[in-house]
Amino acid sequence: MNQSEAKKRIEELKHQLNKFDHYYYDKALPLITDYEYDELYNELKSIENTFPLLITEDSPTQRVLENTITGFNKIKHNPKMYSLENTYSDNELSNFLKRIKKDTNKINEFIIEPKIDGVAVSIIYENGVFKKAISRGNGITGDDITNNIKTIEELPLVLEGELTGELIVRGEVFFTKETFKELAETYGFSNARNAASGTLKLLNSREAAKRHLSIRIHTVITGLADTDNEILNKLKQMKLPVIEMTKIVNSAENVIKTKDIWKEKRFELPYETDGIVIKLNKLSMRKKIGYTNKSPKWAFAFKYKPENAITKISSVDFQIGRTGVITPVANLEPVQLSGTIVKRATIHNFDEIKRLDIQINDFVEVEKSGEIIPKIIKVIKEKRNGDNTFKIKKPKICPSCRSELIHYNDEVALRCINVNCPARIEGNISHFVSKTGMNIENVGPALIKQLLNENIISSMSDLYKLEIETILPVERMAEKSAENVINSINASKDVPLHRFIYALGIRNVGEYLANILADTYKSIDKLMDAKYDEMMKINGIGDEVAQSVIMFFKNEKNREEIENLLKNGVNPILQIKRNILEEKKFVITGHLDEFTRDSVKRSIIENGGIVLNTISKETDFLIAGENSGSKIKKAEKMNVKIISEKEYLQMLEK
Ligand code: IVH
């Protein structure tokens, strides 16, 4: 490329990027995907690097975006909030690692974290008490968003420990995938990061509180220790919600290895991520190599290229969630996307149909975003020809129970308000058995649908009455799978109290609040008789949550269902906050001296382990007592570690 070609291309890119920025920031209407934006931005940056004389002040690469709003006080950041250099390219990542090696002249330790797709904030504690929160703004000055940040349940208002002086921490605010799904349905949001950013800009923090923002802290300003991972541990002890997935590696090869493994592993996190952040672990090394004007030289972000595919929408179904919200789901012509065949895609809500102008028979681009099914990100309009596509009509009646659908207040969501709607019952039971609920492994949505359709069950508690013989007649159910179903239902009976509370599907009570309720009330009986006033005194619980919990337990049908669950053998156990066993999976066999079968199970669960009935490759330990039978052989064959009762007790003493 010669100078005049470069000049021409720079002008084109500047023009395009400025237009996209205007739509994104001023109109909240992203015209292209983040990836497409980054590609153009990086192209501009690289041409400017080669022809530095062509850089002008109005170039998007030179501009710090003003992203503050009227209505909030402005506060200066001290020190300023930097951003990160980022890339999608393996080559550039290698160059970064090489540069670090050269600059520090040493083999270095790196800490790797997921790059959360959220909104950056800075939070100030004084003597351990929450004082202020400031949005990123332009990095130099931000908005005082204290009141909105205070609504984040995970963030303590008082830190644990005897703390003096000022502590400035920085992190990302976001909606978890689960919360966002509900918000997208009710409010018509289409993008989790934009929704979080919009929520932080609300002047009415009561409205912000209703939406349940989350946060993870990744940075502290004052050095609390010599290395980043020690700092994160200290923050954790203070009860700050720090990033839960970190890895320390000490070679460039292992950075690359982790990058490749986390490409998929990151989807296990409860929030969306778009890459990884690699930072030098030792603070002394960071100091040595310092900062550029915009970003630290000791850190780097690698972003994963989103995987897309193009296919055709053949029809649209309307799914009814457990809260009655109707969500459109597109049926697609099957297409290969990152190793799986995709047949369906979510369309979050009816506004999304309008926003993207989605029609039946349209060709669309689908993207894997960490949800169970991918989402539609754009319609390829050029592929429409003549009148071969047609509009998606909003349903007027519930496709399951045929009652009339309504819009609550000014919600975007279309709802079925019939609590006896079969589809809603199905949704409730699916939620009940889910991994984060009762975790009943071999019972999925398809089986639940069959059991309901054939009138074998009509409620959650009916699951615990099932026997092999009763489910054998179900289509495609072989003896072995029937046995697995019954085994996993039985194995779910001893359940941590917080998971049981979550599984009940009380409105507004997600995993986090279920934990708080379990810690406070300590048993399901006590929670069932909770009073509104006492609940309002609990840190992290507001009016809306308290009301929905009280309403839920006031309902006779719900009380009866809980009684039935307990009568049928479900045994919610208060999980003491010890995670010594780190979710390791245990199987028990033979006769034990110190424990009964029930008490050893209880002990495993209380210490953060998981009890399974049968040995599989996933099992971590077999606790073998006297007269152990065939399980020992199986464990040996599958390389499962076999331990005695005494060794188990020693594990708890750690
Ligand atoms: S460390 C000097 N760690 O990504 C900034 N940032 O694109 C050091 N981000 O401005 C930041 N996840 O707001 C760090 N695990 C993580 C992160 C993270 C997301 C954000 C951060 C930063 C932006 C850069």
Side-chain angles (χ1 to χ4, degrees):
M1 187 180 268
N2 63 33
Q3 177 126 352
S4 81
E5 281 163 355
K7 190 161 184 222
K8 190 164 162 249
R9 184 66 186 143
I10 286 180
E11 282 312 315
E12 274 168 17
L13 287 166
K14 281 199 308 201
H15 176 74
Q16 285 181 334
L17 287 164
N18 281 331
K19 180 174 99 185
F20 296 137
D21 278 343
H22 170 62
Y23 274 86
Y24 188 94
Y25 289 103
D26 305 334
K27 301 192 168 184
L29 195 79
L31 291 185
I32 55 171
T33 65
D34 287 358
Y35 177 66
E36 290 165 329
Y37 183 92
D38 289 345
E39 288 273 277
L40 296 174
Y41 185 93
N42 289 336
E43 185 188 343
L44 176 61
K45 228 170 90 178
S46 114
I47 305 176
E48 286 178 342
N49 277 344
T50 325
F51 300 96
L53 289 176
L54 296 179
I55 301 178
T56 58
E57 246 174 55
D58 70 336
S59 169
T61 60
Q62 304 304 304
R63 188 182 43 206
V64 196
L65 277 171
E66 282 299 334
N67 194 13
T68 55
I69 354 149
T70 44
F72 285 100
N73 287 329
K74 306 281 173 269
I75 304 181
K76 207 169 158 90
H77 289 293
N78 183 22
K80 81 179 201 186
M81 281 181 89
Y82 287 91
S83 50
L84 285 177
E85 230 189 291
N86 71 64
T87 184
Y88 291 91
S89 129
D90 285 349
N91 224 346
E92 281 183 38
L93 172 61
S94 296
N95 289 344
F96 163 74
L97 295 167
K98 275 187 208 140
R99 173 170 63 72
I100 292 278
K101 198 165 169 190
K102 202 167 125 238
D103 286 357
T104 59
N105 222 345
K106 249 192 149 103
I107 297 182
N108 281 291
E109 239 175 45
F110 293 100
I111 181 164
I112 306 181
E113 292 171 0
K115 184 170 173 336
I116 302 177
D117 197 9
V119 186
V121 288
S122 182
I123 298 169
I124 302 168
Y125 283 89
E126 247 172 53
N127 301 326
V129 180
F130 181 105
K131 264 272 135 20
K132 254 185 310 212
I134 317 167
S135 71
R136 183 171 192 286
N138 58 13
I140 310 281
T141 321
D143 291 314
D144 178 352
I145 49 168
T146 305
N147 289 336
N148 288 342
I149 293 294
K150 264 193 182 167
T151 68
I152 302 179
E153 294 132 2
E154 295 150 329
L155 202 64
L157 295 179
V158 180
L159 298 178
E160 193 108 340
E162 303 285 311
L163 299 165
T164 50
E166 192 177 66
L167 179 75
I168 303 176
V169 292
R170 288 174 180 171
E172 301 294 305
V173 175
F174 54 86
F175 286 120
T176 63
K177 289 186 244 179
E178 190 192 342
T179 306
F180 179 68
K181 185 168 177 284
E182 273 182 33
L183 294 175
E185 285 167 359
T186 40
Y187 289 83
F189 294 147
S190 59
N191 170 298
R193 185 188 351 109
N194 290 350
S197 159
T199 303
L200 286 179
K201 290 176 186 165
L202 289 172
L203 291 170
N204 175 357
S205 48
R206 285 172 83 99
E207 176 57 30
K210 278 191 197 166
R211 302 185 185 176
H212 305 285
L213 285 162
S214 287
I215 190 167
R216 292 294 180 276
I217 303 296
H218 50 61
T219 302
V220 66
I221 295 305
T222 29
L224 291 172
D226 295 338
T227 60
D228 203 9
N229 66 314
E230 286 168 326
I231 291 177
L232 290 179
N233 278 335
K234 288 210 163 147
L235 297 179
K236 214 179 195 172
Q237 281 161 13
M238 295 176 193
K239 293 278 181 294
L240 280 164
V242 292
I243 282 197
E244 55 268 72
M245 196 160 114
T246 58
K247 191 163 171 69
I248 307 284
V249 298
N250 49 20
S251 68
E253 296 81 73
N254 285 339
V255 170
I256 308 282
K257 227 188 234 166
T258 308
K259 174 211 76 175
D260 291 337
I261 297 173
W262 282 19
K263 181 169 182 236
E264 291 299 320
K265 190 170 164 58
R266 67 198 174 106
F267 292 129
E268 291 167 15
L269 289 165
Y271 41 81
E272 284 198 35
T273 61
D274 56 355
I276 54 171
V277 180
I278 302 133
K279 317 174 202 183
L280 274 175
N281 192 29
K282 287 210 179 75
L283 266 54
S284 55
M285 288 291 135
R286 292 185 181 182
K287 213 165 163 190
K288 196 166 163 192
I289 63 174
Y291 294 78
T292 69
N293 204 10
K294 271 188 150 184
S295 48
K297 286 197 259 182
W298 42 261
F300 199 67
F302 178 87
K303 290 171 95 177
Y304 296 108
K305 231 184 236 178
E307 296 192 35
N308 298 336
I310 291 176
T311 183
K312 191 174 168 186
I313 299 188
S314 42
S315 62
V316 171
D317 286 341
F318 300 105
Q319 271 185 353
I320 306 126
R322 64 189 173 89
T323 57
V325 174
I326 312 287
T327 325
V329 177
N331 294 313
L332 308 170
E333 282 184 2
V335 64
Q336 186 90 19
L337 176 59
S338 31
T340 51
I341 305 251
V342 173
K343 294 186 191 139
R344 287 153 75 73
T346 8
I347 308 175
H348 289 302
N349 50 60
F350 287 95
D351 269 14
E352 187 82 342
I353 295 182
K354 239 194 277 165
R355 189 178 73 87
L356 295 173
D357 183 19
I358 304 172
Q359 305 196 6
I360 291 169
N361 286 340
D362 260 335
F363 280 88
V364 289
E365 192 171 323
V366 287
E367 180 179 299
K368 194 177 172 193
S369 60
E371 310 293 330
I372 300 153
I373 51 177
K375 64 179 177 204
I376 295 179
I377 52 167
K378 86 175 178 217
V379 174
I380 319 283
K381 297 241 175 87
E382 304 80 66
K383 288 216 174 200
R384 276 185 194 165
N385 64 25
D387 49 8
N388 59 348
T389 62
F390 44 94
K391 289 214 156 64
I392 299 160
K393 279 206 195 94
K394 249 192 201 182
K396 290 205 163 58
I397 55 169
C398 172
S400 173
C401 68
R402 317 208 66 75
S403 58
E404 197 185 330
L405 299 175
I406 63 146
H407 283 285
Y408 267 145
N409 307 324
D410 47 2
E411 271 184 9
V412 168
L414 195 56
R415 285 178 191 270
C416 164
I417 53 166
N418 170 15
V419 284
N420 294 318
C421 168
R424 291 187 58 182
I425 294 174
E426 192 180 313
N428 273 321
I429 303 181
S430 290
H431 173 82
F432 181 75
V433 303
S434 67
K435 217 174 174 156
T436 27
M438 298 299 284
N439 189 18
I440 307 186
E441 269 172 77
N442 293 299
V443 181
L447 179 61
I448 291 168
K449 197 184 197 88
Q450 280 178 309
L451 295 172
L452 283 166
N453 284 349
E454 297 179 27
N455 286 325
I456 301 175
I457 60 167
S458 64
S459 65
M460 314 189 249
S461 60
D462 284 349
L463 287 172
Y464 293 92
K465 289 199 264 184
L466 293 177
E467 285 171 6
I468 295 184
E469 295 72 42
T470 40
I471 56 171
L472 262 180
V474 171
E475 212 184 313
R476 286 195 302 274
M477 180 70 72
E479 181 110 22
K480 186 72 202 149
S481 28
E483 208 179 295
N484 289 341
V485 167
I486 302 298
N487 278 343
S488 48
I489 292 176
N490 285 335
S492 76
K493 285 181 181 167
D494 290 309
V495 58
L497 177 61
H498 66 272
R499 289 227 321 261
F500 180 69
I501 296 171
Y502 172 80
L504 292 174
I506 306 166
R507 217 170 158 193
N508 296 313
V509 178
E511 279 178 81
Y512 177 76
L513 287 174
N515 260 297
I516 293 193
L517 291 172
D519 282 351
T520 314
Y521 288 95
K522 304 205 171 359
S523 80
I524 188 69
D525 292 339
K526 295 222 177 72
L527 178 63
M528 283 167 83
D529 292 331
K531 303 276 175 305
Y532 176 84
D533 292 344
E534 69 190 30
M535 202 170 276
M536 286 295 284
K537 289 193 196 122
I538 306 172
N539 198 355
I541 293 193
D543 168 69
E544 216 193 356
V545 172
Q547 284 210 34
S548 44
V549 176
I550 302 289
M551 289 272 284
F552 183 88
F553 290 115
K554 230 170 138 181
N555 181 325
E556 267 315 310
K557 258 183 124 174
N558 291 337
R559 294 185 83 90
E560 213 174 281
E561 178 63 355
I562 293 170
E563 296 298 340
N564 286 337
L565 284 165
L566 302 181
K567 215 166 65 199
N568 294 347
V570 174
N571 176 27
I573 303 163
L574 177 67
Q575 189 165 15
I576 296 166
K577 281 277 144 58
R578 295 210 311 173
N579 196 14
I580 294 182
L581 302 179
E582 293 172 325
E583 303 194 358
K584 291 272 183 313
K585 301 189 176 78
F586 288 81
V587 175
I588 309 145
T589 184
H591 172 83
L592 305 178
D593 290 330
E594 304 263 340
F595 290 108
T596 62
R597 254 322 142 83
D598 278 347
S599 70
V600 72
K601 276 188 196 167
R602 196 187 303 262
S603 151
I604 293 170
I605 296 169
E606 282 179 353
N607 287 293
I610 295 167
V611 182
L612 300 176
N613 270 3
T614 46
I615 296 186
S616 70
K617 278 197 217 97
E618 279 193 21
T619 315
D620 295 295
F621 296 100
L622 173 70
I623 306 180
E626 265 173 61
N627 299 327
S628 307
S630 61
K631 282 192 177 153
I632 297 250
K633 272 211 191 87
K634 199 163 171 198
E636 278 167 353
K637 215 164 103 194
M638 298 208 162
N639 267 336
V640 171
K641 190 155 188 225
I642 304 170
I643 56 168
S644 67
E645 186 178 2
K646 207 164 132 206
E647 283 168 305
Y648 170 69
L649 285 166
Q650 277 163 359
M651 280 172 98
L652 299 186
E653 276 162 19
K654 259 204 293 187

